[in-house]
Amino acid sequence: MKSVHLLNDFPFTFSQEATFQQICLKQESRCSFLSKRGIHQKGMWMIECRCGESSASFDCLGLNNSWDLPSHLYPCYAPEFQISEQLRSWRDYYNWRCMPLDSPVALLLHWPLTIYHAAQLVGIETLNLLNPEVCDKLCVHYLGPEKELLQLDVFGELQALFPGIHIHIELVGPAIPPDRDGEKISISRYVSSNEGQSICKSASKNGILATQSGITPAVTLQLWHGFYHDLYRDLVKDSSPHLVIAPNGGIAAYPSWMPTIELIERLDVPAVFTDYCEEACHLAASCIENVIGRSLRLPVQLNPFRQPIAVEDSVLLLPCYSNCFLFGM
């Protein structure tokens, strides 16, 4: 609670509406926030509020391919310039992507930006993975996906964050419908909008990552139903992971994580976990340290790319944000 001002420290024009105090004191709701912007119960935004969660189904997961926003409010084409310095904040990212700070897309883009930040923290660049002349593929094992399964399009932004690199993500977890197990999804273009398709198509011709038909998709996803420790042998038949990430993992709350933690320790692969609040991360870190018998390589810390709207109706009565804090082993 002493750090609540830091958790609420965002550069957005809508930040005051989306804080812990506003949302948890019922002065604002996620539904009203989305409604004001015309995106309530639409497309990828549907699962961002309680009423959308009740009607959304993971059986319908896939590519929605629309922001449902005016074209100047989202990154629908490749950036004009590659990243010259590491992005360290939402302000850095919005400046680089030439978007105004009233754009709400950070509410969804915290998923790929957290992957980007995790890769920087564990030193992926030291493995020459950011140099396509040395290595042209980054393989990520993504554990325990849930609501992001209805927002898969946003992972297309990884092609801008890792230019020239093929990003392959194995999404593994019990929330994936059994009938979608093994399914592969390719993303070769940026999310657009019905209103802005022609604008985005024109602009993409000038971008550094313009996609042409017939080329290898920049981002590929594969879905796996089940637990990581049960599926790992099948996952690594083609390639081993460079990074394991478990967003909003709830490690301390679910004993089923323990065999996975033991497996990751044996693999000696960089692994990053996030959670909704600092307390949850410290509890998870304690559980992991008891299992692996050593201290964490990456201590608990605030994620600069946490979702910039508070969790609604948190039972903890603590400031909670999706992907709020992170740590790693």
Side-chain angles (χ1 to χ4, degrees):
M1 290 303 295
K2 291 181 180 179
S3 303
V4 68
H5 64 287
L6 294 176
L7 304 188
N8 294 338
D9 185 19
F10 295 106
F12 306 110
T13 59
F14 58 77
S15 295
Q16 190 58 39
E17 298 176 60
T19 64
F20 166 71
Q21 290 92 333
Q22 292 290 106
I23 298 294
C24 293
L25 295 179
K26 310 299 182 182
Q27 295 171 357
E28 187 75 68
S29 72
R30 282 179 167 242
C31 289
S32 64
F33 180 91
L34 298 172
S35 294
K36 289 177 183 177
R37 290 155 181 83
I39 49 178
H40 184 235
Q41 289 194 300
K42 286 188 176 181
M44 296 187 295
W45 304 96
M46 180 175 292
I47 202 167
E48 288 301 324
C49 66
R50 286 176 297 176
C51 53
E53 289 175 351
S54 63
S55 59
S57 170
F58 290 137
D59 292 330
C60 301
L61 66 88
L63 300 184
N64 178 67
N65 202 33
S66 178
W67 281 110
D68 295 297
L69 288 168
S71 58
H72 70 285
L73 293 180
Y74 58 87
C76 67
Y77 54 87
E80 294 184 10
F81 305 100
Q82 292 189 20
I83 301 171
S84 58
E85 296 183 2
Q86 181 179 337
L87 302 175
R88 300 182 183 278
S89 67
W90 280 121
R91 187 182 294 278
D92 287 351
Y93 171 75
Y94 269 57
N95 286 340
W96 172 59
R97 291 303 257 139
C98 302
M99 290 188 299
L101 291 172
D102 61 340
S103 168
V105 295
L107 270 66
L108 305 187
L109 287 174
H110 67 105
W111 301 119
L113 266 295
T114 293
I115 293 177
Y116 165 81
H117 185 59
Q120 302 297 318
L121 288 176
V122 301
I124 289 291
E125 71 275 11
T126 64
L127 302 177
N128 288 318
L129 282 170
L130 300 186
N131 182 354
E133 295 182 358
V134 178
C135 180
D136 63 355
K137 182 177 180 179
L138 173 62
C139 183
V140 178
H141 286 184
Y142 191 107
L143 313 187
E146 291 184 350
K147 64 191 299 183
E148 58 266 51
L149 294 172
L150 298 176
Q151 301 168 334
L152 293 178
D153 280 282
V154 301
F155 290 97
E157 185 63 7
L158 290 170
Q159 60 190 310
L161 295 164
F162 298 96
I165 303 293
H166 172 212
I167 311 297
H168 180 70
I169 304 177
E170 307 278 11
L171 295 114
V172 187
I176 292 172
D179 62 342
R180 310 295 291 272
D181 185 37
E183 183 175 330
K184 295 182 179 180
I185 298 172
S186 298
I187 304 176
S188 58
R189 62 184 61 190
Y190 293 92
V191 186
S192 62
S193 171
N194 294 332
E195 183 270 341
Q197 282 181 349
S198 60
I199 298 174
C200 294
K201 184 177 180 180
S202 174
S204 67
K205 295 178 181 178
N206 299 319
I208 60 172
L209 289 173
T211 300
Q212 300 175 4
S213 59
I215 69 170
T216 302
V219 180
T220 54
L221 315 172
Q222 187 159 12
L223 310 177
W224 298 86
H225 172 78
F227 294 114
Y228 187 61
H229 51 271
D230 293 329
L231 298 170
Y232 178 76
R233 294 193 179 207
D234 292 329
L235 294 172
V236 296
K237 285 181 179 178
D238 295 325
S239 61
S240 298
H242 301 107
L243 172 68
V244 176
I245 188 165
N248 299 324
I251 305 297
Y254 299 100
S256 56
W257 275 110
M258 294 308 108
T260 288
I261 299 302
E262 293 171 351
L263 171 62
I264 294 172
E265 174 69 0
R266 292 196 301 271
L267 299 176
D268 196 27
V269 174
V272 175
F273 307 85
T274 78
D275 223 310
Y276 291 98
C277 70
E278 189 173 13
E279 181 194 30
C281 281
H282 282 294
L283 290 172
S286 178
C287 289
I288 291 175
E289 288 174 343
N290 287 335
V291 171
I292 65 178
R294 62 170 176 82
S295 299
L296 296 174
R297 294 191 178 105
L298 189 65
V300 174
Q301 57 195 275
L302 187 63
N303 177 13
F305 297 107
R306 61 198 178 279
Q307 187 182 41
I309 186 170
V311 172
E312 207 165 27
D313 294 332
S314 170
V315 296
L316 296 176
L317 294 178
L318 292 172
C320 295
Y321 295 82
S322 183
N323 286 326
C324 191
F325 284 84
L326 55 77
F327 61 95
M329 56 182 286

